[in-house]
Amino acid sequence: MSHKLRKTLCLVLVFALAFMLPVAGSAQAKKKTKKKGVKLSESKISLTVGKKKKIKVKNIKAKKVTWSVNKKAKKIVKLSKKTKKGVTIKGLKKGKAVVTAKIKKGKKTWKKKVKVTVKSARKKTITISSIAVLNRRTIQVRLSGAQVLSAAKVTVKTKSYANGNYNRTLKIVSLTSADKKTWTITLDSESEIYETNYVQVIISGLTGSGTVSKQTVFSHGVFNYTDTIILDYNVNDTVSYTFGSEGWGYSTYSASGLPAGITAKMTEGGTSLKFGGKATKAGIFRTKVVAKDELKNTYTYDVIWVIGSNNSIAAAYRPYYAVVDTDGTYYISTSIYEAGGSGSYNYAIQGNSYGLEVDSDGDLHGTLPAAGTYNIRVLVTDRNNASIRTTAVLTVSLQAGRTISGIVKDARGNPVPNAHIYFENKNKANRYQAYGSTYTDPKGAYSTRLIDGTYEAYAYKYEAESSISTLQVKASRSGLDFTLPVYPITVVANRAGVNMSSFGSWTDDYGNSYGEGNKLYLKAGTYSLHSSYSTAIADYTGRINITVNAKTTKATAAITIVNHVIANIIEDVPLNVTWNSNNYSDCQYYKFVPKTTGTYYFSWNGDVYEYIRIYLDNGVEWTASHVGEEGSFSYECTAGKAYYLWVDSDYEKGSSTFTVSKTSPDLE
């Protein structure tokens, strides 16, 4: 191709490209304009009732935007936060709606629409996820979602057998929750749940579920218990001992290390292990028995066989495990087991006694001075043959524990004396302290020693129990206080001259005690209580009917008095008394009230040997008995004060004359 021709072709291509470029540029511009056209962020949305969605105006800075929805759809959706930039659409009820945006800028107006579909809200369903018995008075319930509950809609029932009926309904004291999802049920102190009880919780009015129930079985846990048993026999004695484990239900048993001649087998009922046979050799032997109950607890027993013979003695003590008292000491009293020889023994402590003494029965008594391990050796000698002897060793292991102290208070914050505090070790198998208890002093304070561990602690008094606290013991602690849900109430009499502090225990018709004297401790509720006391001159009976709430502070007792006085003695007027009964309890009381203060002479004479005493007006005895068929004594009397003469004939019949006078009697 020539140079000229190539040049011509190049010019043609240049012109062609020049004509094509504007066309391509125009298409791209058109496409770009279409992408940036005025529109809404969404043209079609779906909502559930109660939910919201924000719609935005895009690709324009509008001067004005008007949002609207057709009239029929106003009950389906609600528009809020209407601005030039967008709107919020909320679903009100199931249905369909169209939301229109009228967009203005300059002289131009755009109409854009959003099709809205509102669906029914998915129903929320709440049920009981789980229940757990935390202790005998506390249940934890977990819901699948948060919901407010009331005690009126919660029922707790228990039963003993899997196929039994839930006949026992428990009383709920409180129902609490921090998140409305996990709820704690606290039961009344009389609504105790026992181990192996089936527990059912019924809740009504749960959202989407209505009434739902769930059950569980209460167990303290699985433990490995240990204990020691001592059996004493002589060689060739017939052994017949039935051994029953402390476990729940039926247990399996195994026994190893039996003495020669002794056998062990399950009883036909399958509830226990029976030892039989005859021991053929004297000495101390140990058998290990392992029992496993239905709750998977294991009970390991160290069975110590004390086997004696005619010419040998065997003796042993059970090992002792305990926690010292608050003063650091511990009082011990334990028995010895022995066999062999003549059967009659002398005992003597060998070496350090640590303050213990051994009595004529071989039992050890006394106070050990501190925590630690003690081995007390006791020599056992046959009384009829001093050459036959052995040594028994008592091993005592004492732990120091931690000092725990506090105060028990009533519902108004006052101290409660003589209240009982219990500490239940979560480790029921602990040999040192599965349980601990103590009492408050007159000021409501207590102090005790506990070994390290976890405890359920509570106080009890006047048929009322405090809440149960979980106590972690790792160090000594003060200020562990308990509050009993009882109100202190002062008792007053409905008549004058009655000493209310002398009344005994105030009880209901079921024998429950709620206080003594002039003080009651009552929970909110209605009560009918009675009490009484007697003096030499009268019997006093009190009855209280009361309804108690947080504001109750006083109770009025209706008092009935049965007076023993059968007649009054008047100064210088002889009183004739006739005894017609042989009943010793048929004593008589006479009342004397002097008009003036001074020395008075009390005299009597007759044919009956009598006993005579004087009591003051408060029923307190003033004089010892004066006896005889006749006699006299004097006493300084105060004007207006009552004195009571008690006389008894001591099984005799006859008569006497009594006189009270300021003049000394002339008795021969």
Side-chain angles (χ1 to χ4, degrees), residues 104-314:
K104 289 185 178 182
K105 184 175 182 181
K107 295 181 179 181
K108 195 166 183 179
T109 301
W110 293 266
K111 281 189 176 182
K112 300 296 177 180
K113 297 183 178 182
V114 181
K115 293 181 179 180
V116 183
T117 299
V118 180
K119 300 178 181 179
S120 297
R122 184 179 296 176
K123 286 187 177 181
K124 188 176 183 180
T125 300
I126 296 177
T127 188
I128 301 175
S129 297
S130 65
I131 64 172
V133 181
L134 303 183
N135 56 56
R136 58 189 176 79
R137 284 181 52 212
T138 310
I139 302 170
Q140 186 181 78
V141 178
R142 285 192 171 92
L143 303 180
S144 59
Q147 181 171 338
V148 175
L149 299 179
S150 66
K153 293 187 175 183
V154 179
T155 303
V156 179
K157 293 175 174 286
T158 61
K159 64 179 182 178
S160 298
Y161 302 101
N163 61 346
N165 295 324
Y166 279 105
N167 291 334
R168 183 174 179 237
T169 300
L170 306 183
K171 183 179 178 181
I172 297 174
V173 172
S174 66
L175 185 66
T176 58
S177 177
D179 59 2
K180 305 299 185 290
K181 189 174 180 179
T182 299
W183 289 86
T184 299
I185 301 172
T186 302
L187 303 172
D188 182 75
S189 59
E190 297 180 6
S191 295
E192 181 173 350
I193 302 173
Y194 304 102
E195 189 163 18
T196 73
N197 273 181
Y198 289 80
V199 181
Q200 181 187 50
V201 177
I202 306 167
I203 302 178
S204 62
L206 287 176
T207 302
S209 298
T211 300
V212 177
S213 68
K214 202 171 187 69
Q215 74 172 23
T216 189
V217 177
F218 177 40
S219 172
H220 288 296
V222 177
F223 303 101
N224 295 317
Y225 296 89
T226 56
D227 200 359
T228 301
I229 296 173
I230 301 182
L231 303 176
D232 51 346
Y233 293 92
N234 285 319
V235 170
N236 293 324
D237 282 351
T238 298
V239 174
S240 180
Y241 181 83
T242 301
F243 176 87
S245 170
E246 299 176 359
W248 295 91
Y250 291 95
S251 296
T252 62
Y253 293 88
S254 65
S256 59
L258 288 165
I262 304 297
T263 61
K265 69 174 184 177
M266 290 286 293
T267 58
E268 292 181 0
T271 58
S272 54
L273 187 70
K274 187 171 184 178
F275 295 122
K278 295 180 179 181
T280 61
K281 187 177 180 180
I284 301 292
F285 305 94
R286 279 187 145 84
T287 297
K288 180 180 179 181
V289 175
V290 178
K292 294 184 178 180
D293 69 11
E294 293 181 10
L295 299 184
K296 301 180 181 180
N297 296 304
T298 300
Y299 298 79
T300 302
Y301 297 92
D302 179 21
V303 181
I304 301 176
W305 296 87
V306 176
I307 309 296
S309 67
N310 290 334
N311 55 8
S312 67
I313 299 172

Side-chain angles (χ1 to χ4, degrees), residues 416-427:
V416 178
N418 204 37
H420 201 171
I421 304 97
Y422 298 87
F423 301 91
E424 298 181 4
N425 197 332
K426 284 281 192 177
N427 179 11

